[in-house]
Amino acid sequence: MERALKLDHQYPATHRDAFCIPTYGSMGLRSDGAKASDYSPVTYLCGNSLGCMPKSTRNAISQELDAWADRAVESHFRHRGEQQGLTSWMDIDLPLSNLLPSLVGALESEVAVMGSLTSNLNALMVSFYRPTSTKFKILCEKGAFPSDFYAFYNQCAIHNLDPDEALIRLEARESETFLRTDDIIKAISDNKDELALICLPGIQYYTGQWFDMEKITKFAHQCKGIVVGWDLAHAVGNVPLGLHDWGVDFACWCSYKYLNAGPGAIAGIFVHERHTQVGSSEKQSYLPRLAGWWGNNRERRFQMKEIFEPISGALGFRQSNPSVIDVVALRSSLEVIKDFGGINAMRERSLLLTNYLMELLMESRFYHKSAPNGVSAPGFTILTPPEEKDRGAQLSLLLFPHHSDRKLDTMERVFEYMNERGIIVDERRPNVIRIAPAPLYNTFQDVFRAVDILDEALESII
Ligand SMILES: Cc1ncc(COP(=O)(O)O)c(C=O)c1O
C-alpha cells in the first residue's frame, strides 16, 4: 500500500472530486467487513462498462428541465439560459462538435452526436455495406460483441446473402488469447477480391485488445474497394485515435463507458469527409443513408418540403432531433475531460494505472502466464495483450478452474467476494473478470485494493 500512496501523491487523481463515486452506503454494501464506513467510496473499477457520474451532470440536466418548465416549445429557439451561454435546443448538440473530434482524431465536420451505438452501426452499414455479386463479404471477429454480430448477420439477410458465406469471422490462434495483426492482414489479403467491408472493434470488449487500427485500415484501403468501419465502444475516451489521418471510412461509439455520459447515453458517429463531400456518390450527389429531417439543411428544415438536402459532413447522417437531456449529460462530461487535458493526458495517467495493475497482478501468487491444461488450484491468467500499444485501460482476467455449478465456480466466487467488499469490477461469464482503472477518477490505492482483495478471494477458496 505504501507504493500506491506514493504513486497517488506523485500522480494525483486531480479530477476525482468532479465525480460521484458510489459509497458502501449508497451501494447497500456492508462496510464492516471491508473496514470502511458507510460514507467511504467503494473501489469502482468498472468504467469500461458504465462510467461514474460527473457532479456537473445534475445541474446540466436541471437547467434543461427548467427550460422545459419555463418556456416549453420556445426553448428550441429561445433558451432561457442564452445569456449564460446555454444553447437553444435546435442546435443543442452543436457545441459538442468542439469537444468530441479531438477524442477520436477527426475534423469537426466528421463527427455527429446521435442515436445509440447499435442503431448507428446498423445505419452506417446501410450506407457503407453495398455488396455486389462478387464483392460481398464482411470481415469481423468470431468473438464480436453480440450486438455487432447480430447487426452483421442481419445485414446479410437484408441483402439476401447467406451469412455463413458472407461473414469471415476471425479467431485467435489455438492457445492464444488475442488476434495477431499479421493474421488479420493475411485474412484481408486472402479475401481481398470478395471483401466489401471490414468491421472490427477498436478495443475488444472481452480481451481488452487494442487493434492496430491504422495498419489494418491502410492495408485494407490499398486492396481497393474495401470499406473499413470501427466499433469504438471501448476505445473512445480510453486511447488516442486518429480516424481522419488513418483514413477510416466510418466509426461509431457509445458514450456511457469512458465518456461518462450516463446509462444508455446518446452515442456518436464518424464519417470521413471524403464520403460527405457533395458529388461523392456517382448516382446521387450524396451518399445514400437512413435519412431524417435532422440531417437536412438546417435553414430549410422547418419549411417541411419534400426535398432532402443533407447537411454536408457527419451531421447529415442525423435522423431525429436529439434528446436534450442526453446531449447535455454528454456535454458536461466532455467538459470534465477537456479540463483534465484531453485524451493524451488521460492516456498518460491510464498507462500508469494499468501498468501498476498489471505489475501487481503478475506479482500475485495466483498468477499464471497461461491457463493450465486440466484441473488446477484456483488462479488466473491475463487475457489482455501485455504491450502498452496493444491495450487500453482494461485488463481481462481468466479465472480457473471453471465449474458449471456457479456456487463452485472460481470466477463467480471471486467476483462475489470482491463485490461484497466494495471492489466493483465486472464479470463476463463463464470465467472472466474485467478490471479497468479510469484515469479521470481512479487512484493507485483503488488498484492496490482490488488486487489485494482478489488475492484474498482466491485464498479463501483454496
Ligand atoms: C463493443 C460493443 N458493441 C456494441 C455494444 C452495444 O451497445 P448499445 O446497447 O449502446 O447499442 C456494446 C455495449 O456495451 C459494446 O461493448
Side-chain angles (χ1 to χ4, degrees):
M1 186 57 131
E2 221 171 276
R3 171 122 190 275
L5 284 164
K6 255 194 202 155
L7 285 167
D8 274 327
H9 187 68
Q10 200 175 348
Y11 307 105
T14 50
H15 286 56
R16 183 173 166 87
D17 272 354
F19 290 88
C20 302
I21 312 288
T23 63
Y24 283 84
S26 68
M27 297 276 294
L29 289 169
R30 279 184 39 215
S31 46
D32 49 345
K35 301 179 194 76
S37 86
D38 268 11
Y39 301 102
S40 308
V42 296
T43 300
Y44 191 85
L45 291 162
C46 212
N48 57 329
S49 184
L50 179 69
C52 286
M53 183 178 116
K55 289 178 182 162
S56 52
T57 301
R58 198 182 292 279
N59 186 43
I61 289 179
S62 193
Q63 284 172 326
E64 301 309 328
L65 293 178
D66 289 344
W68 181 20
D70 290 357
R71 292 196 181 173
V73 70
E74 287 223 351
S75 299
H76 281 101
F77 309 101
R78 210 168 56 84
H79 198 289
R80 70 195 278 284
E82 259 170 15
Q83 307 297 334
Q84 295 92 57
L86 295 184
T87 310
S88 293
W89 295 343
M90 166 96 164
D91 293 320
I92 191 73
D93 53 330
L94 299 190
L96 274 60
S97 309
N98 290 323
L99 297 165
L100 260 178
S102 61
L103 290 179
V104 293
L107 305 178
E108 249 184 66
S109 61
E110 292 173 321
V111 168
V113 170
M114 59 185 250
S116 59
L117 171 53
T118 308
S119 62
N120 289 343
L121 176 62
N122 277 310
L124 287 164
M125 279 200 289
V126 166
S127 294
F128 285 98
Y129 178 52
R130 316 296 297 277
T132 65
S133 58
T134 52
K135 242 174 152 30
F136 60 95
K137 292 197 173 174
I138 301 176
L139 186 92
C140 55
E141 18 133 44
K142 180 91 192 300
F145 193 87
S147 205
D148 294 27
F149 173 69
Y150 305 148
F152 303 146
Y153 191 92
N154 281 281
Q155 276 294 316
C156 298
I158 288 168
H159 291 284
N160 291 321
L161 293 165
D162 174 0
D164 288 339
E165 211 193 325
L167 295 183
I168 304 171
R169 303 174 68 197
L170 297 176
E171 265 182 286
R173 293 185 186 192
E174 211 183 321
S175 81
E176 295 189 6
T177 59
F178 50 90
L179 278 160
R180 294 188 191 192
T181 306
D182 286 350
D183 290 351
I184 302 174
I185 297 290
K186 183 167 182 311
I188 299 171
S189 179
D190 289 349
N191 295 283
K192 64 177 185 303
D193 295 333
E194 295 177 317
L195 265 181
L197 171 68
I198 296 172
C199 197
L200 293 167
I203 290 189
Q204 220 281 346
Y205 82 99
Y206 190 76
T207 64
Q209 176 184 12
W210 183 9
F211 285 81
D212 191 337
M213 298 173 61
E214 179 174 10
K215 188 166 178 184
I216 294 166
T217 304
K218 288 187 172 166
F219 182 79
H221 284 158
Q222 277 168 25
C223 297
K224 301 276 183 289
I226 303 175
V227 169
V228 185
W230 294 94
D231 172 345
L232 302 178
H234 287 263
V236 69
N238 184 3
V239 289
L241 299 164
L243 301 184
H244 176 82
D245 287 348
W246 300 340
V248 167
D249 293 288
F250 72 87
C252 44
W253 56 86
C254 54
S255 313
Y256 41 78
K257 300 178 187 293
Y258 299 97
L259 295 188
N260 312 305
I266 196 158
I269 65 161
F270 164 89
V271 181
H272 199 283
E273 66 166 354
R274 68 175 175 274
H275 296 299
T276 56
Q277 283 151 1
V278 173
S280 61
S281 161
E282 281 165 20
K283 291 198 194 97
Q284 282 171 282
S285 62
Y286 59 84
L287 194 68
R289 65 198 65 193
L290 292 188
W293 71 323
W294 228 252
N296 194 37
N297 183 306
R298 181 189 179 283
E299 309 316 319
R300 287 191 274 284
R301 190 177 292 151
F302 285 89
Q303 291 176 5
M304 306 320 223
K305 294 212 168 115
E306 287 178 349
I307 306 168
F308 180 60
E309 298 172 84
I311 302 170
S312 71
L315 290 180
F317 283 77
R318 293 178 304 173
Q319 295 175 48
S320 300
N321 74 102
S323 153
V324 166
I325 305 279
D326 256 5
V327 170
V328 297
L330 175 58
R331 190 195 64 213
S332 68
S333 164
L334 294 180
E335 279 166 356
V336 177
I337 289 177
K338 186 176 176 205
D339 196 58
F340 186 82
I343 189 63
N344 290 326
M346 282 166 73
R347 172 68 172 164
E348 210 174 297
R349 191 157 188 281
S350 170
L351 280 173
L352 291 166
L353 286 162
T354 300
N355 287 345
Y356 181 55
L357 173 62
M358 177 87 92
E359 197 183 306
L360 293 181
L361 288 170
M362 288 169 83
E363 277 168 20
S364 161
R365 75 181 181 91
F366 296 100
Y367 168 74
H368 291 238
K369 211 161 178 237
S370 57
N373 288 325
V375 186
S376 71
F380 68 88
T381 185
I382 303 173
L383 296 180
T384 313
E387 281 197 50
E388 285 181 0
K389 68 171 179 46
D390 300 325
R391 58 173 159 86
Q394 169 190 321
L395 296 183
S396 305
L397 315 187
L398 179 83
L399 285 107
F400 44 78
H402 173 54
H403 201 293
S404 51
D405 180 346
R406 277 199 202 166
K407 283 198 206 81
L408 300 173
D409 179 54
T410 309
M411 188 281 279
E412 299 284 355
R413 291 174 73 186
V414 166
F415 179 77
E416 192 181 318
Y417 187 100
M418 292 175 81
N419 194 280
E420 279 171 357
R421 285 155 186 79
I423 312 293
I424 313 302
V425 290
D426 103 345
E427 62 177 339
R428 281 283 165 243
R429 295 207 165 99
N431 48 5
V432 167
I433 284 181
R434 305 183 301 177
I435 307 181
L440 290 175
Y441 50 78
N442 280 125
T443 62
F444 292 87
Q445 289 167 75
D446 285 338
V447 171
F448 179 87
R449 262 193 300 274
V451 181
D452 192 37
I453 302 294
L454 170 76
D455 276 348
E456 217 180 273
L458 284 160
E459 197 89 48
S460 76
I461 59 175
I462 287 178

